[in-house]
Amino acid sequence: MNQIIENQKLKLTVSDHGAEIKSLIRKSDNREMMWQADAAFWGRTSPVLFPVVGCYYQKKSIYEGNIYEMGQHGFARDMDFTFVAKEDNRLTYELTSNELTHEKYPFDFKLTISYILEDSTVKVCWKVDNTDYRRIHFSIGAHPAFNCSLDTDYLLFEKEGKPVDAITANVIANDGSGCLSDQQDTYKLESGVLKMSDEVFAKDALVIEDKQADKVTILDSNKQPFITVTCPTPLFGVWSPVGKHAPFVCIEPWYGRCDRVGFNQMLEEREYGNSLNTNDSFLSEYQITVC
């Protein structure tokens, strides 16, 4: 089932399945900002990535001597969330651990996601509660896909309100593992701007670490902004499917990422991993602003 909230500028639709944004319409011209999940290119719109971002090395992790197998980006995106509340400008969802999640992930948790409309911005708020008797380890991230053209459009990278001179991206290995290689590519930018193309995404996602930027904006062919993602996260990804010339790009705020090729698979040792003591909570948000 879908839930809808709207204000004078935006109309937001979210599915109970995966607590996934399915539509974001700019009312001034009825423009759909979100990719509409055409499976010929990519059959999702804005999945929630939890409790892993990217892939475990060899799709496995080890915790307290036990092996847990989990596919790319975790299980939250494929589960029905509990719809908790609808207010004038807010939708709230919850997902809690159960027998099925324990098969892939050892910990008890509660994940709460809220979507809040404020003027021309959607705030996406994450809360992870540790309901386990021990310290838990997790990653969380977003994967929103925005309609655009790789032929004509641009990306603008900014940090603390200023354009970035260059972006260095870690490269996904070409062995089919979905994990990170040791290769890096550096993109020199002109006033923070990178022209999009199939070539930019020819090696899969750009994995951009170390808080190199905190805001990414998609610009049209006239270099006018039409959507901005604010990423207060330690790293983020930028992705469009390899070799498909897809009419969208994903800008992905992450707390966590895929393992490196050859990683020892120990869950508590994952790079960019997060952990919580019993009864503690993790809180964060990112923002999508329609220009």
Side-chain angles (χ1 to χ4, degrees):
M1 184 173 178
N2 290 340
Q3 311 294 335
I4 297 173
I5 51 174
E6 55 188 306
N7 60 18
Q8 291 185 335
K9 295 184 177 181
L10 301 176
K11 180 179 179 180
L12 175 71
T13 303
V14 181
S15 173
D16 296 352
H17 185 70
E20 180 179 6
I21 295 175
K22 302 304 289 184
S23 173
L24 179 62
I25 293 175
R26 183 172 64 188
K27 287 187 173 182
S28 63
D29 57 1
N30 205 38
R31 177 172 178 170
E32 175 61 73
M33 312 306 293
M34 307 302 300
W35 169 244
Q36 291 299 289
D38 180 351
F41 295 93
W42 186 57
R44 301 180 189 267
T45 297
S46 183
V48 174
L49 315 182
F50 179 87
V52 59
V53 174
C55 288
Y56 291 144
Y57 180 55
Q58 298 180 334
K59 306 296 190 291
K60 297 178 182 179
S61 66
I62 301 171
Y63 186 73
E64 294 185 342
N66 297 311
I67 295 175
Y68 297 88
E69 298 188 27
M70 186 155 42
Q72 186 180 41
H73 295 322
F75 47 67
R77 63 182 184 168
D78 296 316
M79 299 185 71
D80 290 328
F81 279 61
T82 299
F83 177 55
V84 175
K86 178 179 179 179
E87 303 169 50
D88 288 344
N89 69 332
R90 179 192 295 253
L91 299 170
T92 302
Y93 295 86
E94 286 183 357
L95 179 69
T96 56
S97 51
N98 55 47
E99 291 182 0
L100 293 176
T101 67
H102 288 159
E103 293 176 2
K104 300 179 179 181
Y105 179 69
F107 305 113
D108 285 322
F109 66 87
K110 181 173 73 172
L111 170 61
T112 304
I113 300 177
S114 296
Y115 296 95
I116 304 168
L117 287 186
E118 291 187 358
D119 196 49
S120 296
T121 294
V122 180
K123 289 186 175 181
V124 185
C125 304
W126 297 319
K127 182 182 180 186
V128 181
D129 291 310
N130 180 359
T131 60
D132 208 290
Y133 65 90
R134 58 197 163 170
R135 189 172 181 84
I136 71 170
H137 305 274
F138 67 96
S139 298
I140 189 167
H143 204 310
F146 304 104
N147 291 323
C148 65
S149 170
L150 299 188
D151 291 323
T152 63
D153 295 348
Y154 301 81
L155 295 169
L156 168 63
F157 297 89
E158 297 175 279
K159 184 172 182 179
E160 298 176 352
K162 298 179 180 180
V164 175
D165 294 330
I167 287 290
T168 297
N170 291 297
V171 178
I172 302 296
N174 63 2
D175 59 2
S177 68
C179 290
L180 207 64
S181 71
D182 291 328
Q183 181 182 348
Q184 292 184 325
D185 289 338
T186 297
Y187 300 85
K188 298 295 184 182
L189 308 178
E190 183 178 343
S191 300
V193 172
L194 174 68
K195 174 67 176 68
M196 287 193 283
S197 66
D198 291 318
E199 183 180 0
V200 168
F201 301 109
K203 299 176 184 177
D204 211 312
L206 311 183
V207 179
I208 301 169
E209 301 184 355
D210 301 325
K211 295 187 177 181
Q212 295 178 57
D214 54 27
K215 185 181 291 185
V216 183
T217 299
I218 304 176
L219 310 177
D220 65 18
S221 58
N222 296 315
K223 295 188 178 179
Q224 295 301 304
F226 61 89
I227 198 147
T228 295
V229 179
T230 302
C231 310
T233 51
L235 70 165
F236 61 94
V238 183
W239 176 77
S240 195
V242 175
K244 292 190 175 183
H245 197 66
F248 70 88
V249 68
C250 296
I251 302 170
E252 310 176 35
W254 293 338
Y255 287 92
R257 61 149 167 75
C258 59
D259 291 334
R260 291 187 183 275
V261 172
F263 177 63
N264 66 16
Q265 301 178 317
M266 303 301 291
L267 181 56
E268 64 270 35
E269 296 180 18
R270 299 190 75 231
E271 293 181 287
Y272 290 99
N274 308 277
S275 58
L276 280 175
N277 290 324
T278 302
N279 298 321
D280 280 352
S281 299
F282 167 94
L283 294 166
S284 188
E285 69 176 52
Y286 75 96
Q287 299 179 10
I288 301 169
T289 299
V290 178
C291 304

mmCIF file of all heavy atoms in Angstrom, residues 37-62:
data_model
loop_
_atom_site.group_PDB
_atom_site.id
_atom_site.type_symbol
_atom_site.label_atom_id
_atom_site.label_comp_id
_atom_site.label_asym_id
_atom_site.label_seq_id
_atom_site.Cartn_x
_atom_site.Cartn_y
_atom_site.Cartn_z
ATOM 1 N N ALA A 37 11.104 2.989 -11.780
ATOM 2 C CA ALA A 37 11.354 1.550 -11.556
ATOM 3 C C ALA A 37 11.059 0.687 -12.774
ATOM 4 O O ALA A 37 10.551 -0.431 -12.646
ATOM 5 C CB ALA A 37 10.569 1.055 -10.346
ATOM 6 N N ASP A 38 11.416 1.157 -13.961
ATOM 7 C CA ASP A 38 11.331 0.334 -15.163
ATOM 8 C C ASP A 38 12.413 -0.740 -15.071
ATOM 9 O O ASP A 38 13.611 -0.444 -15.118
ATOM 10 C CB ASP A 38 11.524 1.208 -16.397
ATOM 11 C CG ASP A 38 11.439 0.421 -17.705
ATOM 12 O OD1 ASP A 38 11.397 -0.822 -17.669
ATOM 13 O OD2 ASP A 38 11.437 1.067 -18.767
ATOM 14 N N ALA A 39 11.990 -2.000 -14.966
ATOM 15 C CA ALA A 39 12.939 -3.093 -14.750
ATOM 16 C C ALA A 39 13.886 -3.297 -15.924
ATOM 17 O O ALA A 39 14.909 -3.980 -15.776
ATOM 18 C CB ALA A 39 12.185 -4.387 -14.453
ATOM 19 N N ALA A 40 13.562 -2.736 -17.086
ATOM 20 C CA ALA A 40 14.487 -2.842 -18.218
ATOM 21 C C ALA A 40 15.811 -2.144 -17.916
ATOM 22 O O ALA A 40 16.846 -2.484 -18.502
ATOM 23 C CB ALA A 40 13.843 -2.232 -19.467
ATOM 24 N N PHE A 41 15.764 -1.180 -17.011
ATOM 25 C CA PHE A 41 16.976 -0.484 -16.581
ATOM 26 C C PHE A 41 17.320 -0.836 -15.132
ATOM 27 O O PHE A 41 18.424 -1.263 -14.819
ATOM 28 C CB PHE A 41 16.796 1.035 -16.710
ATOM 29 C CG PHE A 41 16.635 1.515 -18.105
ATOM 30 C CD1 PHE A 41 15.375 1.677 -18.654
ATOM 31 C CD2 PHE A 41 17.742 1.801 -18.883
ATOM 32 C CE1 PHE A 41 15.220 2.138 -19.951
ATOM 33 C CE2 PHE A 41 17.602 2.265 -20.187
ATOM 34 C CZ PHE A 41 16.338 2.417 -20.723
ATOM 35 N N TRP A 42 16.350 -0.639 -14.234
ATOM 36 C CA TRP A 42 16.530 -0.927 -12.798
ATOM 37 C C TRP A 42 15.151 -0.864 -12.153
ATOM 38 O O TRP A 42 14.459 0.144 -12.260
ATOM 39 C CB TRP A 42 17.469 0.097 -12.165
ATOM 40 C CG TRP A 42 17.835 -0.169 -10.737
ATOM 41 C CD1 TRP A 42 18.417 -1.292 -10.226
ATOM 42 C CD2 TRP A 42 17.661 0.718 -9.624
ATOM 43 N NE1 TRP A 42 18.609 -1.161 -8.873
ATOM 44 C CE2 TRP A 42 18.167 0.072 -8.489
ATOM 45 C CE3 TRP A 42 17.138 2.012 -9.497
ATOM 46 C CZ2 TRP A 42 18.149 0.666 -7.220
ATOM 47 C CZ3 TRP A 42 17.129 2.608 -8.251
ATOM 48 C CH2 TRP A 42 17.624 1.938 -7.125
ATOM 49 N N GLY A 43 14.774 -1.932 -11.491
ATOM 50 C CA GLY A 43 13.401 -2.077 -11.028
ATOM 51 C C GLY A 43 13.106 -1.518 -9.662
ATOM 52 O O GLY A 43 12.171 -1.991 -8.999
ATOM 53 N N ARG A 44 13.858 -0.509 -9.234
ATOM 54 C CA ARG A 44 13.606 0.121 -7.945
ATOM 55 C C ARG A 44 13.630 1.631 -8.122
ATOM 56 O O ARG A 44 14.100 2.145 -9.142
ATOM 57 C CB ARG A 44 14.629 -0.316 -6.901
ATOM 58 C CG ARG A 44 14.662 -1.836 -6.650
ATOM 59 C CD ARG A 44 15.705 -2.202 -5.603
ATOM 60 N NE ARG A 44 15.905 -3.634 -5.483
ATOM 61 C CZ ARG A 44 15.270 -4.422 -4.608
ATOM 62 N NH1 ARG A 44 14.379 -3.884 -3.771
ATOM 63 N NH2 ARG A 44 15.527 -5.711 -4.541
ATOM 64 N N THR A 45 13.135 2.333 -7.088
ATOM 65 C CA THR A 45 13.100 3.789 -7.135
ATOM 66 C C THR A 45 13.988 4.428 -6.077
ATOM 67 O O THR A 45 14.807 5.286 -6.381
ATOM 68 C CB THR A 45 11.656 4.297 -6.962
ATOM 69 O OG1 THR A 45 10.873 3.822 -8.046
ATOM 70 C CG2 THR A 45 11.599 5.828 -6.935
ATOM 71 N N SER A 46 13.842 3.980 -4.824
ATOM 72 C CA SER A 46 14.620 4.595 -3.736
ATOM 73 C C SER A 46 14.723 3.639 -2.552
ATOM 74 O O SER A 46 14.222 3.921 -1.458
ATOM 75 C CB SER A 46 13.958 5.907 -3.298
ATOM 76 O OG SER A 46 14.722 6.545 -2.304
ATOM 77 N N PRO A 47 15.369 2.497 -2.723
ATOM 78 C CA PRO A 47 15.399 1.512 -1.652
ATOM 79 C C PRO A 47 16.198 1.963 -0.437
ATOM 80 O O PRO A 47 17.175 2.708 -0.550
ATOM 81 C CB PRO A 47 16.061 0.291 -2.310
ATOM 82 C CG PRO A 47 16.843 0.856 -3.444
ATOM 83 C CD PRO A 47 16.074 2.039 -3.933
ATOM 84 N N VAL A 48 15.759 1.489 0.727
ATOM 85 C CA VAL A 48 16.473 1.688 1.992
ATOM 86 C C VAL A 48 17.510 0.575 2.127
ATOM 87 O O VAL A 48 17.187 -0.609 1.969
ATOM 88 C CB VAL A 48 15.493 1.664 3.175
ATOM 89 C CG1 VAL A 48 16.246 1.735 4.501
ATOM 90 C CG2 VAL A 48 14.490 2.806 3.056
ATOM 91 N N LEU A 49 18.744 0.944 2.421
ATOM 92 C CA LEU A 49 19.838 -0.023 2.522
ATOM 93 C C LEU A 49 20.115 -0.294 4.001
ATOM 94 O O LEU A 49 20.608 0.577 4.722
ATOM 95 C CB LEU A 49 21.089 0.524 1.832
ATOM 96 C CG LEU A 49 20.872 1.174 0.458
ATOM 97 C CD1 LEU A 49 22.200 1.618 -0.138
ATOM 98 C CD2 LEU A 49 20.115 0.263 -0.488
ATOM 99 N N PHE A 50 19.768 -1.500 4.455
ATOM 100 C CA PHE A 50 19.954 -1.873 5.865
ATOM 101 C C PHE A 50 19.793 -3.373 5.977
ATOM 102 O O PHE A 50 18.916 -3.940 5.328
ATOM 103 C CB PHE A 50 18.910 -1.169 6.748
ATOM 104 C CG PHE A 50 19.008 -1.510 8.212
ATOM 105 C CD1 PHE A 50 19.858 -0.800 9.039
ATOM 106 C CD2 PHE A 50 18.268 -2.554 8.742
ATOM 107 C CE1 PHE A 50 19.968 -1.118 10.386
ATOM 108 C CE2 PHE A 50 18.374 -2.888 10.087
ATOM 109 C CZ PHE A 50 19.216 -2.163 10.906
ATOM 110 N N PRO A 51 20.591 -4.050 6.802
ATOM 111 C CA PRO A 51 21.652 -3.564 7.697
ATOM 112 C C PRO A 51 23.044 -3.577 7.078
ATOM 113 O O PRO A 51 24.040 -3.511 7.789
ATOM 114 C CB PRO A 51 21.570 -4.577 8.839
ATOM 115 C CG PRO A 51 21.209 -5.870 8.146
ATOM 116 C CD PRO A 51 20.287 -5.480 7.036
ATOM 117 N N VAL A 52 23.079 -3.661 5.743
ATOM 118 C CA VAL A 52 24.359 -3.581 5.058
ATOM 119 C C VAL A 52 24.189 -2.670 3.849
ATOM 120 O O VAL A 52 23.132 -2.644 3.213
ATOM 121 C CB VAL A 52 24.870 -4.985 4.637
ATOM 122 C CG1 VAL A 52 23.892 -5.673 3.712
ATOM 123 C CG2 VAL A 52 26.245 -4.917 3.978
ATOM 124 N N VAL A 53 25.213 -1.881 3.577
ATOM 125 C CA VAL A 53 25.292 -1.086 2.353
ATOM 126 C C VAL A 53 26.273 -1.790 1.434
ATOM 127 O O VAL A 53 27.396 -2.101 1.846
ATOM 128 C CB VAL A 53 25.753 0.350 2.635
ATOM 129 C CG1 VAL A 53 25.979 1.111 1.337
ATOM 130 C CG2 VAL A 53 24.740 1.082 3.501
ATOM 131 N N GLY A 54 25.861 -2.048 0.206
ATOM 132 C CA GLY A 54 26.728 -2.784 -0.698
ATOM 133 C C GLY A 54 26.741 -4.260 -0.352
ATOM 134 O O GLY A 54 25.768 -4.814 0.148
ATOM 135 N N CYS A 55 27.867 -4.898 -0.629
ATOM 136 C CA CYS A 55 28.001 -6.351 -0.454
ATOM 137 C C CYS A 55 28.992 -6.702 0.642
ATOM 138 O O CYS A 55 30.033 -6.057 0.800
ATOM 139 C CB CYS A 55 28.500 -6.997 -1.746
ATOM 140 S SG CYS A 55 27.313 -7.067 -3.075
ATOM 141 N N TYR A 56 28.673 -7.761 1.384
ATOM 142 C CA TYR A 56 29.716 -8.460 2.127
ATOM 143 C C TYR A 56 30.638 -9.139 1.124
ATOM 144 O O TYR A 56 30.196 -9.574 0.051
ATOM 145 C CB TYR A 56 29.122 -9.547 3.017
ATOM 146 C CG TYR A 56 28.296 -9.093 4.187
ATOM 147 C CD1 TYR A 56 27.182 -9.831 4.584
ATOM 148 C CD2 TYR A 56 28.632 -7.965 4.927
ATOM 149 C CE1 TYR A 56 26.424 -9.453 5.679
ATOM 150 C CE2 TYR A 56 27.885 -7.574 6.018
ATOM 151 C CZ TYR A 56 26.775 -8.327 6.391
ATOM 152 O OH TYR A 56 26.032 -7.944 7.474
ATOM 153 N N TYR A 57 31.907 -9.257 1.472
ATOM 154 C CA TYR A 57 32.814 -10.016 0.617
ATOM 155 C C TYR A 57 32.348 -11.468 0.572
ATOM 156 O O TYR A 57 32.120 -12.096 1.607
ATOM 157 C CB TYR A 57 34.250 -9.928 1.145
ATOM 158 C CG TYR A 57 35.245 -10.700 0.311
ATOM 159 C CD1 TYR A 57 35.352 -10.455 -1.056
ATOM 160 C CD2 TYR A 57 36.060 -11.668 0.870
ATOM 161 C CE1 TYR A 57 36.255 -11.149 -1.840
ATOM 162 C CE2 TYR A 57 36.971 -12.368 0.099
ATOM 163 C CZ TYR A 57 37.062 -12.115 -1.264
ATOM 164 O OH TYR A 57 37.949 -12.813 -2.037
ATOM 165 N N GLN A 58 32.170 -11.979 -0.635
ATOM 166 C CA GLN A 58 31.639 -13.317 -0.894
ATOM 167 C C GLN A 58 30.251 -13.508 -0.280
ATOM 168 O O GLN A 58 29.836 -14.629 0.014
ATOM 169 C CB GLN A 58 32.608 -14.401 -0.405
ATOM 170 C CG GLN A 58 33.947 -14.350 -1.134
ATOM 171 C CD GLN A 58 34.933 -15.406 -0.670
ATOM 172 O OE1 GLN A 58 34.871 -15.879 0.464
ATOM 173 N NE2 GLN A 58 35.853 -15.773 -1.548
ATOM 174 N N LYS A 59 29.531 -12.390 -0.067
ATOM 175 C CA LYS A 59 28.150 -12.373 0.433
ATOM 176 C C LYS A 59 28.022 -12.957 1.842
ATOM 177 O O LYS A 59 26.935 -13.332 2.280
ATOM 178 C CB LYS A 59 27.212 -13.141 -0.523
ATOM 179 C CG LYS A 59 27.255 -12.668 -1.971
ATOM 180 C CD LYS A 59 26.765 -11.239 -2.119
ATOM 181 C CE LYS A 59 26.586 -10.853 -3.577
ATOM 182 N NZ LYS A 59 27.850 -10.725 -4.332
ATOM 183 N N LYS A 60 29.147 -12.994 2.588
ATOM 184 C CA LYS A 60 29.133 -13.603 3.916
ATOM 185 C C LYS A 60 29.768 -12.681 4.943
ATOM 186 O O LYS A 60 30.682 -11.917 4.633
ATOM 187 C CB LYS A 60 29.898 -14.934 3.911
ATOM 188 C CG LYS A 60 29.313 -16.009 3.012
ATOM 189 C CD LYS A 60 30.174 -17.260 3.032
ATOM 190 C CE LYS A 60 29.613 -18.327 2.104
ATOM 191 N NZ LYS A 60 30.466 -19.550 2.088
ATOM 192 N N SER A 61 29.279 -12.772 6.179
ATOM 193 C CA SER A 61 29.935 -12.129 7.313
ATOM 194 C C SER A 61 30.044 -13.142 8.438
ATOM 195 O O SER A 61 29.284 -14.121 8.505
ATOM 196 C CB SER A 61 29.158 -10.897 7.778
ATOM 197 O OG SER A 61 27.892 -11.262 8.304
ATOM 198 N N ILE A 62 30.989 -12.888 9.329
ATOM 199 C CA ILE A 62 31.234 -13.790 10.459
ATOM 200 C C ILE A 62 31.061 -13.014 11.751
ATOM 201 O O ILE A 62 31.617 -11.921 11.913
ATOM 202 C CB ILE A 62 32.655 -14.385 10.390
ATOM 203 C CG1 ILE A 62 32.846 -15.158 9.077
ATOM 204 C CG2 ILE A 62 32.916 -15.291 11.596
ATOM 205 C CD1 ILE A 62 34.292 -15.587 8.827
#
